[in-house]
Amino acid sequence: MAFEGLTQKLQETFRKLRGKGKLTEKDVKEAMREVKLALLEADVNYKVVKDFVNSVTERAIGQEVMESLTPGQHVIKIVHEELVNLMGAKESKINISPKPPTVIMLVGLQGAGKTTMAAKLALHFKRNNKHPLLVAADVYRPAAIKQLQILGGQIDIPVFALGDKISPIDIAKASIEYAKKNARDIVIIDTAGRLHVDEDLMLELESIKKEVEPNEILLVVDAMTGQDAVNVAESFNQRLDITGVILTKLDGDTRGGAALSVKAITGKPIKFVGIGEKLSDLEIFYPDRMASRILG
Ligand code: GDP
């Protein structure tokens, strides 16, 4: 389960706090030292941890908390609120274009779960009475096109493909025309990935962006890769000005670092999370629920 270590450590700290009748400044500082360590061990970005702990401490040693009847409970509430703020305060909705189709471009490194996510999103939108079109624009990875066609078949959603001899830019462009003619109101473009961030890939993605002017550019990152996921998000964001992040593999034993750092570092919200290999294993990202899950 994700966040297991973090949750356990925070609960230990909070148990001690709750056990105290009155809190001194020293008690709060001691607890915050433990929270800081727990977050660092969960692979949360150092600067993010520092800012977070400072904000909580500032609020927690205020008069209101110190004089309250249940100061421990009060501090826990502050931690919860600050976790929610850290992850973006509220749910970040998909930007639906008033003039269909809404174009969603999925980007990310190979293996992050992009192709699977394209199909998961298509299913999500279909269940919300939309008519998605999946677009196979990864012409480099062997079998990527086939994989998308198979996934599309499983959820009865059309897949636009022109093989692997045509440029991804032309495929993307043609798919929008196809969507218009065939009343598909959401176009989900599965772009190519690489093992690492690389210049050719970025140039290609920039060209696709310029050509199709997507309403959303969502970066798919593997939550299991922790700080790396955040670095990848920063690189993609610098080049593409992404509109949001999707964290996959949150069902694994990820320590939580990516979920807690990505918004603070890139300024871009997490919009969805992948929680398994099945196409229904998709959740809208609610910062409040995630904070509750982390606090256990
Ligand atoms: P791509 O290279 O980014 O297109 O990645 P794929 O969509 O092919 O996914 C890579 C692997 O990760 C596949 O085996 C997927 O089944 C798996 N995967 C994708 N999303 C999730 C998830 O949320 N949880 C788990 N456990 N596995 C996932």
Side-chain angles (χ1 to χ4, degrees):
M1 236 329 258
F3 310 121
E4 215 167 67
L6 178 59
T7 301
Q8 209 180 337
K9 293 223 168 60
L10 293 177
Q11 281 181 343
E12 269 167 41
T13 302
F14 294 155
R15 201 174 308 123
K16 279 186 257 170
L17 271 187
R18 271 203 211 91
K20 294 195 159 110
K22 279 261 172 237
L23 286 187
T24 62
E25 206 169 304
K26 190 166 157 272
D27 292 331
V28 172
K29 289 204 165 137
E30 175 58 30
M32 286 311 123
R33 202 166 13 249
E34 289 177 17
V35 168
K36 184 174 175 180
L37 277 178
L39 290 170
L40 288 174
E41 274 176 41
D43 206 20
V44 181
N45 175 279
Y46 181 74
K47 190 176 175 308
V48 173
V49 173
K50 225 173 112 200
D51 291 348
F52 177 82
V53 168
N54 284 345
S55 309
V56 175
T57 309
E58 203 170 296
R59 290 181 61 191
I61 56 179
Q63 209 169 11
E64 195 196 338
V65 176
M66 296 307 202
E67 288 174 2
S68 90
L69 289 173
T70 51
Q73 209 57 42
H74 223 112
V75 173
I76 298 164
K77 187 164 159 274
I78 293 172
V79 171
H80 184 275
E81 285 169 7
E82 292 294 330
L83 279 177
V84 175
N85 283 339
L86 187 59
M87 291 185 286
K90 56 180 185 356
E91 165 198 358
S92 297
K93 292 216 165 69
I94 286 288
N95 179 18
I96 296 287
S97 167
K99 192 167 146 271
T102 295
V103 178
I104 300 175
M105 187 174 158
L106 289 186
V107 300
L109 295 183
Q110 199 168 308
K114 196 164 11 74
T115 304
T116 310
M117 186 50 67
K120 284 180 178 179
L121 286 176
L123 179 60
H124 166 81
F125 289 120
K126 183 182 170 185
R127 286 176 172 168
N128 285 285
N129 302 316
K130 299 277 186 209
H131 305 87
L133 175 70
L134 285 163
V135 180
D138 179 356
V139 298
Y140 310 106
R141 179 161 69 91
I145 297 174
K146 190 84 201 146
Q147 185 187 348
L148 195 64
Q149 285 168 330
I150 290 169
L151 294 175
Q154 286 170 9
I155 50 179
D156 201 19
I157 287 181
V159 176
F160 184 88
L162 295 175
D164 59 5
K165 304 285 182 285
I166 310 232
S167 92
I169 299 141
D170 291 337
I171 294 172
K173 196 170 148 193
S175 75
I176 312 275
E177 289 313 309
Y178 179 93
K180 283 182 186 157
K181 286 204 187 90
N182 293 277
R184 308 311 297 184
D185 49 14
I186 298 209
V187 175
I188 302 169
I189 306 174
D190 181 27
T191 62
R194 298 276 200 285
L195 289 175
H196 306 282
V197 174
D198 103 5
E199 184 58 22
D200 284 350
L201 175 65
M202 288 302 168
L203 288 171
E204 177 177 303
L205 296 175
E206 281 173 341
S207 301
I208 297 176
K209 175 182 176 181
K210 197 156 158 247
E211 190 63 51
V212 305
E213 297 178 348
N215 302 89
E216 293 273 356
I217 303 179
L218 300 177
L219 171 69
V220 179
V221 289
D222 179 344
M224 303 280 288
T225 61
Q227 291 281 307
D228 272 349
V230 180
N231 294 336
V232 166
E234 219 183 347
S235 307
F236 274 80
N237 190 41
Q238 274 163 8
R239 293 296 290 266
L240 295 167
D241 191 18
I242 59 173
T243 58
V245 175
I246 300 180
L247 275 186
T248 61
K249 310 187 194 181
L250 220 67
D251 50 310
D253 58 354
T254 161
R255 289 180 288 161
L260 288 168
S261 316
V262 94
K263 172 72 178 16
I265 299 289
T266 64
K268 301 300 165 71
I270 300 172
K271 296 204 172 182
F272 293 95
V273 292
I275 49 161
E277 293 190 83
K278 290 201 305 292
L279 295 185
S280 55
D281 291 335
L282 175 77
E283 281 181 4
I284 295 173
F285 183 78
Y286 298 105
D288 188 41
R289 284 189 209 168
M290 192 56 71
S292 301
R293 197 188 286 185
I294 290 168
L295 292 181

